[in-house]
Amino acid sequence: MNFNGIERMGRIQLRVHDFEKSVDYYTNVLGLDITGRDENRVYLKAWDEWDHHSVILEKSDSAGMEHMGFKVTNNEVLDTLEKKIGDFGCTIERISNKSRVGEGEAIRVHVPSGHKIEFYHDIDYVGVPTGRLNPHPWPDGLRGISPHRLDHALLSGDDIVDTKRLFKDILGFVETEKVVTVDGEQLIATWLTTTMTGHDIAIIKGPVGKLHHVGWYLESWHDILKASDILSRNEIEIDVTPTRHGITRGQTIYFFDPSGNRNEVYTGGYAVYSDFPTITWTEDKLGQGIFYHRRQLNEAFGSVFS
Amino acid sequence: MNFNGIERMGRIQLRVHDFEKSVDYYTNVLGLDITGRDENRVYLKAWDEWDHHSVILEKSDSAGMEHMGFKVTNNEVLDTLEKKIGDFGCTIERISNKSRVGEGEAIRVHVPSGHKIEFYHDIDYVGVPTGRLNPHPWPDGLRGISPHRLDHALLSGDDIVDTKRLFKDILGFVETEKVVTVDGEQLIATWLTTTMTGHDIAIIKGPVGKLHHVGWYLESWHDILKASDILSRNEIEIDVTPTRHGITRGQTIYFFDPSGNRNEVYTGGYAVYSDFPTITWTEDKLGQGIFYHRRQLNEAFGSVFS
Amino acid sequence: MNFNGIERMGRIQLRVHDFEKSVDYYTNVLGLDITGRDENRVYLKAWDEWDHHSVILEKSDSAGMEHMGFKVTNNEVLDTLEKKIGDFGCTIERISNKSRVGEGEAIRVHVPSGHKIEFYHDIDYVGVPTGRLNPHPWPDGLRGISPHRLDHALLSGDDIVDTKRLFKDILGFVETEKVVTVDGEQLIATWLTTTMTGHDIAIIKGPVGKLHHVGWYLESWHDILKASDILSRNEIEIDVTPTRHGITRGQTIYFFDPSGNRNEVYTGGYAVYSDFPTITWTEDKLGQGIFYHRRQLNEAFGSVFS
Amino acid sequence: MNFNGIERMGRIQLRVHDFEKSVDYYTNVLGLDITGRDENRVYLKAWDEWDHHSVILEKSDSAGMEHMGFKVTNNEVLDTLEKKIGDFGCTIERISNKSRVGEGEAIRVHVPSGHKIEFYHDIDYVGVPTGRLNPHPWPDGLRGISPHRLDHALLSGDDIVDTKRLFKDILGFVETEKVVTVDGEQLIATWLTTTMTGHDIAIIKGPVGKLHHVGWYLESWHDILKASDILSRNEIEIDVTPTRHGITRGQTIYFFDPSGNRNEVYTGGYAVYSDFPTITWTEDKLGQGIFYHRRQLNEAFGSVFS
């Protein structure tokens, strides 16, 4: 597909308080598998992911995203990115090999929206339970919602114009959709992808350095219903019940982990290539863009971040 | 994603006899839209594609694939590919601008399996009926099966090892799955992708230069049922009724256009990145790999090509 | 199934103001077919119903339900019901043959909740577009949501205990579910069926003689999504976006016709026979019972009736 | 609904050889729950059934149906049926209370097609795992396919005309569909229901006293796919992969238990009331009637009975 050498959103590190309850939620309700632990962290992966982990839960007094990371094609890309992002003007740190379980070296970028974004290539390989030889399509013994994989995150910040410039112009992400004021002069939100999906990262005008939600991928609208049922059975707070986004066309539910980090499970959407023409939403249609059926935002959408 | 600058399978040119019946089938049963005509050809696109066309129907005495084409990121990629593929040893022609309606320049490669594969960047932009401003998720007035987009083709040939080497080693496609003899020594089939899907092109040992099938993408298993119903109502010959592939995990039906070109509509499957580890099927499990529920090939699978 | 000779909820007559807009909505958005007209009324049926009509729209200054009608097995049942319901103490009128288009004689009962309920056997036969000889499973040319059939209505009233007594003890309906106060002493709502579905009629404590909603049947959760999309495209007000009821387990959306009559499309649910044991919900779980995912009522649920 | 007092197909007793393998299949692959055992039999129910059992597996040297049973509304119906069926000319036996685990008295009828059909009212109540107080829509811990309930059986015999006469004219079943010779003179198969579904029993011209298949109900086409996947994973022989029946419109798969009794899981179909007009299929369209997509019978359909 494109030339940028950035493969996907590969991991997210979430801060959680009430650690045991959080681990129980992410393993038994969301249905991820634990692949590692260290003093303050638990490492997890979705069943259909090959790498060691995609989610890190970190004991903390507050909720939120410690960092999200993009996997790159090889270690040379790290050097290239370090140069390009440095020239763009972001502060960059090198994260040493084995700073976290299963991980190799990474670069850590402080982006204009106030978030830490890492890029890395090396991470241990674990594989999937269905294996690589004459596999069945899905494994026995799935628990809870059991999404296929980590999909994307929506972040909030103040300087979203420069953040978009970094991802689009410097890193070569495709901007699939954007929301602008009715006069077209100000950017309110932007959806950016380095894969074939509608977004790997999206950024919305809002509190600096915050997480709006992190999303996992399900295969079908039927699985969205089943996921909602599982959440209700487990008395998890559901923020937005099954619906379709106008933006990305995806089908979705929003809900909260025990610390208040908003989670999403998501399916559907269109195919994106580097020639995908950006879709524009005007602010007066923002409700329809976010929740296509309700056609207005719920109060939590614009007020609850972590 | 990867560095190769090859965006997707962008078009296929099919030979059809009984031209009027074929055009009726591709527009009213499969549900593509006509975007152009010239003396011997009709040009069509699926509703969710932005470019001028993805399917060309050509009047002919026989069925089959005249060529399939991959869209590349920009015209510089064409030069790079011309050099690399030439070094590999394939015959290459330049196709002039405007040789076909809506198309710019292309390179045309004679690959070892006996097929003509084109690469191109320039093609007219048409857009989608839902537009780019505050769009609805799908348009009014869809006809027939109305897939979202062209997805992939399965070709047959004798020298599939070199063809795989071209696509994988020279062009940088990812081999997602392969079928080998039980002793592991001979390649029987290979699935190759330059996108995030399970395959853009697959090649199977068989008659030289032939088409096994061309596939379009639907959004859901529910749409597979509806597509099957539409085919039966229109008395189209269905080769394989709704099932799942073991290989790619996709959900599928196979059927024939009026000239005997096998068509597929397809949904599901996993996400592929450049680090996707190739899945291996052994020949003794080929039935299960192709048709996961029936677990054996139907007779037509190995005998009907066009 | 049971002995009562009451086949199904066969029709509903709705009062609508803005008549032309209503007829457009019921035909093009909901997707019913017009089968008759007289001075003040339009008669409609869903595509999968055999009788002349199931919906009557009546020009009026206000919204609401003029009456709902149950079809009975034969005309002898009418006599039996007239006797039994008269003995129970309800006022009954005879509606003459041909009082409305396509209809034969009926009895009209003033039930304790303040509604008019008719029972009838004779109604003209129209048939379905797929016919009765080697039919296809669904017809070409469906418009809008195109439900299969009228399914049920939820009515509100004050004397719901006696209304339930009428339907359950006198008419032989099965009470599938009920909501009671936490102490179990007072009935808040009751779901009653004379078929195999979760309810043909439900009654909730509320304003006398009012309609909460009328529901039509769709085949799948996928169709619920498509219906929601169609409503949004047509800018119809959606009251409740796709979700599951705890009560009946059905999958649902609520929305409003142009006059403010709440409509529902609905799918799923369990099988009911005469030995079905009533399921009890306590008032503290009413939110979960009505909307299983949100687990609380929206404001409109308890305040908007027509 | 109708007056006949026959509630549903309530149970089937299947002969199986290889008893342990059969019990494993019915519990772990099909996913029924064991509710009782005696010397030669295991009793099972689907999770969504309230009665003690719906399936009895009996150790035997051969496969086949020992009997199927219809539950009636009360014990008076048994007396009425005994009289009516006796007058019709069938041999009837009384089965004593407690002849099998959990069962009360029954009458056992030798019908013209060569089958034993029982009618009963008394059977122990077990209930469902979700309970009757504020229930969740489905239980935790489902295994295998886990259908909701037993749905219907298709039997074969020679004297299908008299068997149809018994069910339709004497017992008051509705004939929903029939297959006749092209000249309309001979009946080939008939679908009969005493509920709101397309069939509780169907009878086809064929070997006397044999079982073609027994069917269980799933909620959706999505569940049909999942069921097929489960069967393949467990290496169960699938006779017919996911498709739609023309007759009943239902979505289906056929497969075999370890003794060769054909099983079906099934969803969809229309609503039936006593005024449902019989749909006619002519023999030339039988393929399309049985398998709407393939439009021809597979060889096993007409040759494998148990």
Side-chain angles (χ1 to χ4, degrees):
Chain A
M1 191 183 165
N2 63 51
F3 292 90
N4 68 359
I6 302 174
E7 294 284 326
R8 65 177 171 275
M9 178 183 169
R11 69 180 179 232
I12 191 165
Q13 183 167 339
L14 295 169
R15 290 188 299 268
V16 295
H17 42 79
D18 204 340
F19 197 63
E20 288 317 304
K21 194 172 174 186
S22 296
V23 172
D24 178 67
Y25 162 83
Y26 279 97
T27 52
N28 291 318
V29 181
L30 189 56
L32 307 181
D33 295 318
I34 295 176
T35 55
R37 289 180 186 267
D38 58 19
E39 198 180 347
N40 293 303
R41 292 174 291 216
V42 167
Y43 299 77
L44 307 108
K45 69 181 278 295
W47 76 263
D48 206 9
E49 296 172 323
W50 304 85
D51 284 345
H52 182 272
H53 58 264
S54 58
V55 173
I56 307 169
L57 301 180
E58 176 191 3
K59 283 182 205 175
S60 175
D61 293 335
S62 62
M65 180 182 91
E66 196 280 329
H67 82 279
M68 66 185 282
F70 287 92
K71 187 170 185 180
V72 301
T73 311
N74 55 46
N75 281 312
E76 289 68 52
V77 176
L78 287 189
D79 300 331
T80 311
L81 291 179
E82 193 169 29
K83 174 74 171 64
K84 290 204 293 189
I85 297 170
D87 289 349
F88 177 77
C90 290
T91 305
I92 305 177
E93 305 160 69
R94 279 267 167 181
I95 304 291
S96 313
N97 188 23
K98 303 299 170 198
S99 296
R100 289 182 295 253
V101 175
E103 299 185 3
E105 205 174 19
I107 60 173
R108 185 175 177 95
V109 180
H110 297 257
V111 302
S113 56
H115 301 89
K116 299 174 197 77
I117 309 282
E118 294 189 1
F119 297 88
Y120 66 96
H121 176 68
D122 290 331
I123 184 165
D124 288 357
Y125 173 88
V126 169
V128 299
T130 45
R132 294 170 52 179
L133 180 65
N134 303 322
H136 292 293
W138 44 273
D140 259 341
L142 294 174
R143 293 179 319 280
I145 294 173
S146 52
H148 285 260
R149 56 179 170 80
L150 183 64
D151 191 77
H152 68 268
L154 170 57
L155 311 180
S156 67
D158 185 56
D159 188 357
I160 67 172
V161 170
D162 279 331
T163 311
K164 165 179 160 178
R165 200 157 57 85
L166 170 63
F167 278 94
K168 187 177 175 195
D169 299 343
I170 309 302
L171 301 180
F173 280 50
V174 172
E175 183 180 39
T176 54
E177 311 214 20
K178 65 180 172 185
V179 180
V180 295
T181 49
V182 175
D183 59 15
E185 301 215 343
Q186 290 187 55
L187 182 70
I188 294 168
T190 175
W191 280 253
L192 297 149
T193 189
T194 187
T195 64
M196 205 177 144
T197 69
H199 56 328
D200 299 302
I201 185 169
I203 307 158
I204 192 164
K205 190 89 175 175
V208 173
K210 292 292 188 181
L211 174 69
H212 187 276
H213 71 263
V214 49
W216 284 266
Y217 197 78
L218 292 181
E219 194 182 5
S220 72
W221 173 238
H222 183 278
D223 292 334
I224 296 284
L225 173 63
K226 191 182 154 205
S228 307
D229 288 347
I230 290 169
L231 292 170
S232 271
R233 171 194 305 279
N234 287 281
E235 302 190 352
I236 303 300
E237 184 186 349
I238 300 180
D239 181 33
V240 176
T241 53
T243 193
R244 184 196 284 280
H245 291 305
I247 296 168
T248 74
R249 292 185 201 158
Q251 297 125 51
T252 180
I253 49 172
Y254 286 162
F255 44 103
F256 292 105
D257 82 2
S259 304
N261 293 301
R262 190 187 276 102
N263 289 179
E264 179 184 29
V265 287
Y266 177 91
T267 192
Y270 41 68
V272 180
Y273 310 95
S274 75
D275 58 354
F276 189 88
T278 305
I279 291 168
T280 299
W281 292 80
T282 47
E283 192 177 9
D284 55 320
K285 293 285 186 182
L286 179 60
Q288 183 167 329
I290 301 297
F291 302 127
Y292 183 65
H293 302 140
R294 168 67 59 220
R295 305 197 296 280
Q296 56 188 20
L297 302 183
N298 64 349
E299 195 194 320
F301 186 86
S303 63
V304 179
F305 299 82
S306 68
Chain B
M1 194 185 163
N2 63 51
F3 291 89
N4 69 358
I6 303 174
E7 295 284 326
R8 64 178 172 274
M9 177 184 170
R11 68 181 180 231
I12 191 165
Q13 182 167 341
L14 296 169
R15 289 188 300 268
V16 294
H17 42 80
D18 205 341
F19 198 63
E20 289 316 305
K21 193 171 174 186
S22 295
V23 172
D24 178 66
Y25 162 83
Y26 278 98
T27 51
N28 291 317
V29 180
L30 189 56
L32 307 181
D33 295 318
I34 296 177
T35 55
R37 288 180 186 267
D38 59 19
E39 197 180 348
N40 294 303
R41 292 174 291 216
V42 167
Y43 299 77
L44 306 107
K45 68 182 279 294
W47 76 263
D48 206 10
E49 296 172 323
W50 305 86
D51 283 347
H52 182 271
H53 58 264
S54 57
V55 172
I56 307 170
L57 301 180
E58 176 191 3
K59 283 183 205 176
S60 174
D61 293 335
S62 62
M65 180 183 89
E66 196 280 329
H67 82 279
M68 66 184 282
F70 287 92
K71 186 169 186 181
V72 301
T73 311
N74 55 47
N75 280 312
E76 289 67 51
V77 175
L78 287 189
D79 299 332
T80 311
L81 292 179
E82 192 169 30
K83 173 77 172 61
K84 291 203 293 189
I85 298 168
D87 289 349
F88 178 77
C90 290
T91 305
I92 305 177
E93 306 158 68
R94 278 267 168 180
I95 305 291
S96 313
N97 189 23
K98 303 297 171 200
S99 297
R100 290 182 294 252
V101 176
E103 299 185 2
E105 205 175 19
I107 60 173
R108 186 173 175 97
V109 179
H110 296 257
V111 302
S113 56
H115 300 89
K116 298 175 198 77
I117 309 282
E118 295 189 2
F119 298 87
Y120 67 95
H121 176 68
D122 290 331
I123 184 164
D124 288 357
Y125 173 89
V126 168
V128 299
T130 44
R132 295 170 52 180
L133 180 66
N134 303 321
H136 292 293
W138 43 275
D140 258 340
L142 295 173
R143 294 179 318 280
I145 293 174
S146 51
H148 285 260
R149 56 180 170 81
L150 182 64
D151 191 76
H152 68 268
L154 171 56
L155 311 180
S156 68
D158 185 57
D159 187 357
I160 67 172
V161 170
D162 279 331
T163 311
K164 166 179 159 177
R165 200 157 57 84
L166 170 62
F167 279 95
K168 187 177 175 194
D169 300 342
I170 308 302
L171 300 180
F173 280 51
V174 172
E175 183 179 40
T176 54
E177 312 213 19
K178 65 179 172 186
V179 181
V180 295
T181 49
V182 174
D183 59 15
E185 301 216 342
Q186 290 186 54
L187 183 70
I188 293 168
T190 175
W191 281 253
L192 297 149
T193 189
T194 187
T195 64
M196 204 175 144
T197 69
H199 57 328
D200 298 302
I201 185 169
I203 308 158
I204 193 164
K205 190 89 175 175
V208 172
K210 291 293 188 182
L211 173 69
H212 187 276
H213 71 263
V214 49
W216 285 266
Y217 197 80
L218 291 181
E219 194 181 6
S220 73
W221 174 236
H222 182 278
D223 292 334
I224 297 285
L225 173 63
K226 192 183 155 205
S228 307
D229 289 347
I230 290 169
L231 292 168
S232 271
R233 170 194 305 278
N234 287 281
E235 302 189 353
I236 303 302
E237 185 186 350
I238 299 181
D239 180 33
V240 175
T241 53
T243 193
R244 183 196 284 282
H245 292 306
I247 296 167
T248 75
R249 291 186 202 156
Q251 297 125 52
T252 180
I253 49 174
Y254 286 162
F255 44 102
F256 292 106
D257 81 3
S259 304
N261 294 302
R262 191 188 276 102
N263 290 180
E264 179 185 28
V265 286
Y266 177 90
T267 192
Y270 41 68
V272 180
Y273 309 95
S274 74
D275 57 354
F276 189 88
T278 304
I279 292 168
T280 300
W281 293 78
T282 48
E283 191 177 11
D284 55 318
K285 293 287 186 182
L286 179 60
Q288 182 167 329
I290 301 296
F291 302 126
Y292 183 65
H293 301 140
R294 168 68 58 217
R295 305 197 295 281
Q296 56 188 22
L297 302 183
N298 62 350
E299 194 194 322
F301 186 87
S303 62
V304 179
F305 298 81
S306 68
Chain C
M1 192 185 163
N2 63 48
F3 291 90
N4 69 357
I6 303 174
E7 294 284 325
R8 64 177 172 274
M9 177 182 170
R11 69 180 179 232
I12 191 165
Q13 182 167 341
L14 295 169
R15 289 189 299 268
V16 294
H17 42 80
D18 204 340
F19 197 63
E20 288 317 305
K21 193 171 174 185
S22 296
V23 171
D24 178 67
Y25 162 83
Y26 278 97
T27 52
N28 291 317
V29 180
L30 189 55
L32 306 181
D33 296 319
I34 296 177
T35 55
R37 289 180 186 266
D38 59 19
E39 198 180 348
N40 294 303
R41 291 174 292 215
V42 167
Y43 299 76
L44 307 108
K45 71 181 276 295
W47 77 263
D48 207 9
E49 295 172 324
W50 305 85
D51 283 346
H52 182 271
H53 58 263
S54 58
V55 172
I56 308 170
L57 300 180
E58 175 190 5
K59 283 183 205 175
S60 175
D61 293 335
S62 62
M65 180 182 92
E66 196 280 329
H67 82 278
M68 65 184 282
F70 287 91
K71 186 169 185 181
V72 302
T73 311
N74 55 47
N75 280 313
E76 288 68 52
V77 176
L78 287 189
D79 299 332
T80 311
L81 291 179
E82 193 168 29
K83 174 76 171 63
K84 290 203 293 190
I85 298 169
D87 289 350
F88 177 75
C90 291
T91 304
I92 305 177
E93 305 159 68
R94 279 266 167 181
I95 305 290
S96 314
N97 189 22
K98 303 298 171 201
S99 297
R100 289 182 294 251
V101 175
E103 299 185 3
E105 204 174 21
I107 61 173
R108 184 174 177 96
V109 179
H110 296 256
V111 302
S113 56
H115 301 88
K116 299 175 197 77
I117 309 282
E118 295 189 1
F119 298 87
Y120 67 96
H121 176 68
D122 290 332
I123 183 165
D124 287 358
Y125 173 87
V126 169
V128 299
T130 45
R132 295 169 52 179
L133 180 66
N134 303 322
H136 292 292
W138 44 273
D140 258 339
L142 294 175
R143 292 180 319 281
I145 294 173
S146 51
H148 285 260
R149 57 180 169 80
L150 182 64
D151 191 77
H152 68 269
L154 171 56
L155 311 180
S156 68
D158 185 56
D159 187 357
I160 67 171
V161 170
D162 278 332
T163 311
K164 166 178 159 177
R165 200 156 58 83
L166 170 63
F167 279 94
K168 187 178 175 193
D169 299 342
I170 308 302
L171 301 180
F173 280 50
V174 172
E175 182 179 40
T176 54
E177 311 213 21
K178 65 180 172 184
V179 181
V180 295
T181 48
V182 175
D183 60 15
E185 302 215 343
Q186 290 187 55
L187 182 70
I188 294 168
T190 175
W191 281 254
L192 296 149
T193 189
T194 186
T195 65
M196 205 176 144
T197 69
H199 56 328
D200 298 302
I201 185 169
I203 308 158
I204 193 165
K205 190 89 175 176
V208 173
K210 291 293 187 182
L211 174 69
H212 187 275
H213 70 264
V214 50
W216 285 266
Y217 197 79
L218 292 180
E219 195 182 5
S220 72
W221 173 237
H222 184 278
D223 292 334
I224 296 284
L225 174 62
K226 193 182 154 205
S228 307
D229 289 348
I230 290 169
L231 292 169
S232 271
R233 172 195 304 280
N234 286 282
E235 302 190 351
I236 303 301
E237 185 186 350
I238 299 181
D239 180 32
V240 175
T241 53
T243 193
R244 183 196 283 282
H245 292 305
I247 296 168
T248 74
R249 292 185 201 157
Q251 296 125 51
T252 180
I253 48 172
Y254 286 161
F255 44 103
F256 292 105
D257 81 3
S259 305
N261 294 303
R262 190 187 277 102
N263 288 181
E264 180 183 29
V265 287
Y266 175 92
T267 191
Y270 41 67
V272 180
Y273 310 95
S274 75
D275 58 354
F276 189 87
T278 305
I279 291 168
T280 299
W281 293 79
T282 47
E283 191 176 11
D284 55 319
K285 293 285 186 184
L286 179 60
Q288 183 167 329
I290 301 296
F291 303 126
Y292 182 65
H293 301 141
R294 167 67 58 218
R295 306 197 296 281
Q296 57 188 22
L297 301 183
N298 64 349
E299 195 194 321
F301 186 86
S303 63
V304 179
F305 298 82
S306 68
Chain D
M1 192 185 165
N2 63 50
F3 292 90
N4 69 357
I6 302 175
E7 295 284 326
R8 65 177 171 274
M9 177 182 169
R11 68 180 179 232
I12 190 165
Q13 182 166 341
L14 295 169
R15 289 188 299 269
V16 294
H17 42 80
D18 204 340
F19 197 63
E20 289 317 304
K21 194 171 173 186
S22 297
V23 172
D24 178 66
Y25 162 83
Y26 279 97
T27 52
N28 291 317
V29 180
L30 188 56
L32 306 181
D33 295 318
I34 295 177
T35 55
R37 288 179 186 268
D38 59 20
E39 198 181 346
N40 293 304
R41 292 175 291 217
V42 167
Y43 300 76
L44 307 108
K45 69 182 280 294
W47 76 263
D48 207 10
E49 295 172 324
W50 304 85
D51 283 346
H52 182 271
H53 58 265
S54 57
V55 173
I56 307 170
L57 301 180
E58 176 191 4
K59 283 182 205 175
S60 174
D61 293 335
S62 63
M65 181 183 89
E66 196 280 330
H67 82 279
M68 65 184 282
F70 288 92
K71 186 169 186 181
V72 302
T73 311
N74 56 48
N75 280 312
E76 288 69 50
V77 175
L78 287 189
D79 299 332
T80 311
L81 292 179
E82 192 168 29
K83 175 77 171 63
K84 291 204 292 190
I85 298 168
D87 289 350
F88 177 77
C90 290
T91 304
I92 304 177
E93 305 160 67
R94 279 267 167 181
I95 305 291
S96 314
N97 189 22
K98 303 297 170 201
S99 297
R100 289 181 294 252
V101 175
E103 299 185 4
E105 206 174 19
I107 61 173
R108 185 173 176 98
V109 179
H110 297 257
V111 302
S113 56
H115 301 88
K116 298 175 198 78
I117 309 281
E118 294 189 2
F119 297 88
Y120 67 95
H121 175 68
D122 290 331
I123 184 164
D124 288 356
Y125 172 89
V126 168
V128 299
T130 45
R132 295 169 52 180
L133 180 65
N134 303 322
H136 292 292
W138 44 273
D140 259 340
L142 295 174
R143 293 179 318 280
I145 294 174
S146 51
H148 285 260
R149 56 181 170 79
L150 182 63
D151 191 77
H152 67 270
L154 170 57
L155 311 180
S156 68
D158 185 55
D159 187 357
I160 67 172
V161 169
D162 280 331
T163 311
K164 166 179 160 177
R165 199 157 58 84
L166 170 63
F167 279 94
K168 187 177 175 194
D169 299 343
I170 309 301
L171 300 180
F173 281 49
V174 172
E175 183 180 39
T176 54
E177 312 213 20
K178 65 178 171 187
V179 181
V180 295
T181 49
V182 174
D183 61 14
E185 301 216 342
Q186 290 187 55
L187 183 70
I188 294 168
T190 175
W191 281 254
L192 297 148
T193 189
T194 187
T195 64
M196 203 176 147
T197 69
H199 57 328
D200 298 302
I201 185 169
I203 308 156
I204 192 164
K205 191 89 175 175
V208 172
K210 291 293 189 182
L211 173 69
H212 187 276
H213 70 262
V214 50
W216 285 266
Y217 196 80
L218 291 181
E219 194 181 5
S220 72
W221 174 237
H222 183 278
D223 292 334
I224 297 284
L225 173 62
K226 193 184 153 204
S228 307
D229 289 347
I230 290 169
L231 292 169
S232 271
R233 171 195 305 279
N234 286 281
E235 301 189 352
I236 302 302
E237 185 186 350
I238 300 181
D239 180 32
V240 175
T241 53
T243 193
R244 184 196 283 283
H245 291 305
I247 296 167
T248 74
R249 290 186 201 157
Q251 298 124 51
T252 179
I253 49 174
Y254 286 161
F255 43 103
F256 292 106
D257 82 3
S259 304
N261 293 301
R262 191 187 276 101
N263 289 180
E264 180 184 29
V265 287
Y266 177 90
T267 191
Y270 42 67
V272 180
Y273 310 95
S274 74
D275 58 355
F276 189 89
T278 305
I279 291 168
T280 299
W281 292 79
T282 49
E283 192 177 10
D284 55 321
K285 293 285 186 183
L286 179 60
Q288 182 167 329
I290 301 296
F291 303 126
Y292 183 65
H293 301 140
R294 168 67 58 219
R295 306 198 294 281
Q296 57 188 20
L297 301 183
N298 63 350
E299 194 195 321
F301 186 86
S303 62
V304 179
F305 298 82
S306 68

